[in-house]
Amino acid sequence: NATGAVAQHVDLAQGWTWFSFNLQYGEMNFNDVFDLLGASSGDRIIAADTSAYAQYSETSGWVGPLTSIPITNVDMYQADMLESASFPFVGFVVDPDITSVEMDAGWNRIGYTPQVNMETVEALSGLTPSPEDQIKSQYGFAQFDATYGWYGSLDYLEPGIGYMMHLAQADTLVYPSGVGRSLEPILDEQLPEETPQIACPWTVDQNRYLDNMTLTALLESDTLGLNNPEDAVAAFVGDECRGIARPVYIPEIGAYRIFIMIYGDQSEPITFRIWQAEGDLTYQSGTSFNFKSDRHLGSLIDPVMITRTPLGIGDKGYIPEVFSLSQNYPNPFNPLTTLGFGLPEDGHVRIRIFNLRGQEIRTLVEEDFSAGYRHIIWNSQDNAGHQVPSGIYLTVMESGSFREVRKMVMLK
């Protein structure tokens, strides 16, 4: 407007959102800043000092220690919303050159004062980082390596986002001003072009949980360090997906790494699944550990190895190493039973049922199959569609030179 004031639009998702302000207006009283936020009873705002919070009540409005503390633009805030909401905050542009973000050793919850997106490397250029220092948002993180600098899934810092930063030693961050850049945010089409990827079968709600932890990993493969960037690794608690990442190629080391953010509650058991885009196959992993808030595992040079358990019977894409005819189940049965058979290569398969006199009762299978493992059900009927009597029957499978016999019992 005519006074030079501008508006920052703050978008808060349902659940948790980390956010910050890059404008200044007056004393930044809590109720002035959040006056236009359409809150619901039970909504909360938590400050960088997590003991300071405010909670909304339809009868009393905002109450809590945070309501008496001025809002700052160097701190990160966390909102816990019953429904998504957005609100404008009008103020004057902060000059990053003269706005210092003081940080202690350990974790710090910080704001982002520039008006433009910046590459993480540039935004943090005023720091003197130590190996394995880390910065993270809700959606990505970057870790410092003494040789290779900042690396990870957090490529840019953005206005309006709140960040957490872990330092080995206290430091002061002064963001570059971004002078000479447009004040418009970088649009998606202005970011480096990414190759379209096949959608993986899982999704994760990144706003459901307040806490997260991070992992720098490598997917175990026959050729160590080589991964497919279309594949995906997902973290799970039970059957709920808590984090997804794809292998990212790091030119400086000539290898792939996986940078995954995992969301959860303290001490929950984390397991992993691996999705192979080629063939749409899902593998289990033997890698597991307990969730710990703000924990980080692995590094660029020493990543956590995520193992991949071979496919087994019942898994899509499983191809056995040898021909096989499995024992039927249930056994004894009445009137239905299931038989499984495996082929290590494409071939013709014939499966027949005989009685103890050697008479053929039923031809279950007589066709060509590709390699894999399959199941077939016998309904206790012969080739004419008549129910067979109780007794012992023999299942015979033949494929090329392979022949196997299984005994089964039908009881009425």
Side-chain angles (χ1 to χ4, degrees):
N1 61 26
T3 67
V6 296
Q8 174 185 349
H9 289 275
V10 181
D11 296 317
L12 304 179
Q14 182 182 35
W16 290 98
T17 302
W18 299 5
F19 66 102
S20 65
F21 298 97
N22 61 356
L23 302 178
Q24 180 74 37
Y25 189 82
E27 296 182 357
M28 301 278 282
N29 293 319
F30 181 94
N31 286 306
D32 292 338
V33 173
F34 292 96
D35 179 55
L36 297 179
L37 171 60
S40 303
S41 286
D43 287 349
R44 293 181 293 166
I45 306 292
I46 298 176
D49 174 3
T50 55
S51 65
Y53 71 93
Q55 185 164 330
Y56 186 78
S57 164
E58 291 183 0
T59 57
S60 305
W62 289 102
V63 294
L66 185 56
T67 59
S68 60
I69 302 173
I71 300 300
T72 77
N73 42 52
V74 296
D75 290 325
M76 177 257 274
Y77 296 88
Q78 296 167 311
D80 180 18
M81 307 293 292
L82 295 178
E83 302 290 342
S84 60
S86 63
F87 68 98
F89 172 66
V90 177
F92 296 94
V93 171
V94 174
D95 186 350
D97 286 336
I98 58 174
T99 307
S100 299
V101 183
E102 303 291 338
M103 291 186 286
D104 299 322
W107 282 107
N108 301 267
R109 291 168 166 79
I110 64 174
Y112 179 71
T113 56
Q115 303 297 307
V116 295
N117 295 26
M118 284 189 197
E119 291 186 352
T120 302
V121 173
E122 180 183 2
L124 303 182
S125 60
L127 288 176
T128 305
S130 301
E132 300 188 15
D133 281 355
Q134 184 185 108
I135 185 169
K136 65 179 180 178
S137 67
Q138 278 181 280
Y139 315 113
F141 72 95
Q143 192 173 13
F144 185 77
D145 180 88
T147 302
Y148 302 104
W150 292 100
Y151 66 89
S153 57
L154 185 66
D155 297 322
Y156 290 85
L157 300 194
E158 305 174 44
I161 304 297
Y163 296 91
M164 289 183 64
M165 187 152 202
H166 187 275
L167 298 177
Q169 55 188 9
D171 204 343
T172 300
L173 173 61
V174 177
Y175 292 110
S177 65
V179 171
R181 300 184 184 205
S182 167
L183 292 183
E184 295 297 322
I186 295 177
L187 303 177
D188 289 343
E189 57 266 27
Q190 295 173 295
L191 295 173
E193 185 175 347
E194 296 182 355
T195 303
Q197 293 180 316
I198 303 171
C200 77
W202 309 299
T203 58
V204 59
D205 184 352
Q206 298 168 311
N207 300 100
R208 181 175 178 181
Y209 296 92
L210 171 63
D211 297 323
N212 59 48
M213 63 174 290
T214 54
L215 185 71
T216 300
L218 176 65
L219 180 59
E220 183 183 61
S221 61
D222 294 336
T223 308
L224 191 65
L226 297 181
N227 288 224
N228 183 345
E230 289 196 340
D231 295 344
V233 175
F236 281 82
V237 173
D239 287 326
E240 182 185 353
C241 184
R242 297 293 187 83
I244 302 173
R246 297 179 189 259
V248 175
Y249 186 71
I250 310 297
E252 291 80 2
I253 63 173
Y256 285 90
R257 291 293 182 264
I258 298 163
F259 306 107
I260 183 168
M261 299 207 58
I262 304 171
Y263 306 87
D265 295 321
Q266 205 73 347
S267 300
E268 289 183 310
I270 304 294
T271 59
F272 293 88
R273 300 178 194 177
I274 300 154
W275 180 69
Q276 181 179 305
E278 183 178 357
D280 186 23
L281 303 179
T282 299
Y283 294 83
Q284 300 294 322
S285 172
T287 304
S288 65
F289 47 77
N290 288 339
F291 180 91
K292 183 177 180 181
S293 178
D294 299 327
R295 181 184 191 184
H296 179 78
L297 297 174
S299 66
L300 194 66
I301 305 305
D302 186 22
V304 172
M305 192 66 66
I306 297 180
T307 62
R308 181 169 58 183
T309 302
L311 296 175
I313 294 175
D315 292 332
K316 179 182 177 181
Y318 169 65
I319 297 178
E321 296 182 355
V322 296
F323 289 93
S324 65
L325 173 65
S326 298
Q327 185 64 53
N328 67 300
Y329 63 92
N331 190 40
F333 64 95
N334 177 28
L336 303 177
T337 191
T338 300
L339 302 101
F341 63 97
L343 302 176
E345 59 190 42
D346 299 351
H348 186 79
V349 176
R350 180 167 64 173
I351 299 178
R352 294 178 291 170
I353 308 295
F354 294 85
N355 61 24
L356 291 181
R357 297 190 186 95
Q359 298 169 319
E360 179 183 324
I361 300 300
R362 177 76 178 270
T363 298
L364 287 178
V365 174
E366 180 81 57
E367 60 182 289
D368 294 330
F369 287 97
S370 59
Y373 194 91
R374 295 168 176 84
H375 293 91
I376 188 170
I377 296 175
W378 183 37
N379 60 4
S380 302
Q381 294 180 359
D382 61 19
N383 285 328
H386 301 135
Q387 198 73 27
V388 300
S390 297
I392 298 174
Y393 294 88
L394 302 176
T395 305
V396 179
M397 173 181 168
E398 297 168 298
S399 182
S401 60
F402 173 80
R403 186 176 189 273
E404 187 159 358
V405 179
R406 295 284 186 181
K407 183 185 296 184
M408 54 185 176
V409 179
M410 196 286 203
L411 288 179
K412 291 186 178 178

